[in-house]
Structure formats: C-alpha cells, structure tokens
Amino acid sequence: MLTTIAATGPYWHGGGFPFFVFPAFFFFAFLVVFLVFGVARRGSWRARSDARSVLADRFARGDIDAEEYRSRLSELSRK
C-alpha cells in the first residue's frame, strides 16, 4: 500500500480545483485598475501640459513678461 501512495501521490486522482486561477484573477484585476486610473490621471496631465504650452506661447508672443511667466509656471507645477 505504501508503494501505491508514493507512486500516485496525494493529488494524482481527481485533479482538484485549478488554484492558478486566483493569482491570474488578481493580476488581471490589478491590471484593469491600474489602466483605469492611469487613463484618468493622464487626462489631468494633458491639461497641465496644454496649459504650459499656452503659457509658453503667450511668453513667446510677448503677451507676458519673464517674471509673470515664471510665477504662473510655478503655480502650474504646484497643482
């Protein structure tokens, strides 16, 4: 009897539940959450980037001076 148990192992018969499903599920759930928050956050990053480009354009045209440009740029960096 001991040789039969050693040859077949405790999980040889019946297969059991595929436990790799749990880590795969959590990996994909984390990936989805990461992508959703990444896309949501990227929108605000684009808004700041657009504001900086508008500010740089205004400075290049001479609408604002260097001191005002630096102060507004620092304000955008804080947000």
Side-chain angles (χ1 to χ4, degrees):
M1 183 165 141
L2 187 60
T3 58
T4 305
I5 293 172
T8 60
Y11 302 110
W12 185 261
H13 301 290
F17 185 76
F19 286 101
F20 67 88
V21 172
F22 288 118
F25 170 76
F26 286 114
F27 173 75
F28 287 118
F30 177 74
L31 185 66
V32 166
V33 168
F34 181 75
L35 289 175
V36 166
F37 281 111
V39 168
R41 192 159 183 213
R42 185 174 51 179
S44 66
W45 179 80
R46 280 189 183 163
R48 280 185 276 167
S49 147
D50 290 343
R52 287 183 180 143
S53 66
V54 168
L55 188 61
D57 287 342
R58 289 185 62 198
F59 179 64
R61 284 192 308 248
D63 294 343
I64 58 176
D65 60 350
E67 183 180 334
E68 186 176 359
Y69 173 74
R70 273 182 258 152
S71 69
R72 290 182 184 215
L73 190 61
S74 69
E75 184 67 30
L76 285 174
S77 297
R78 279 192 270 154
K79 293 183 179 183

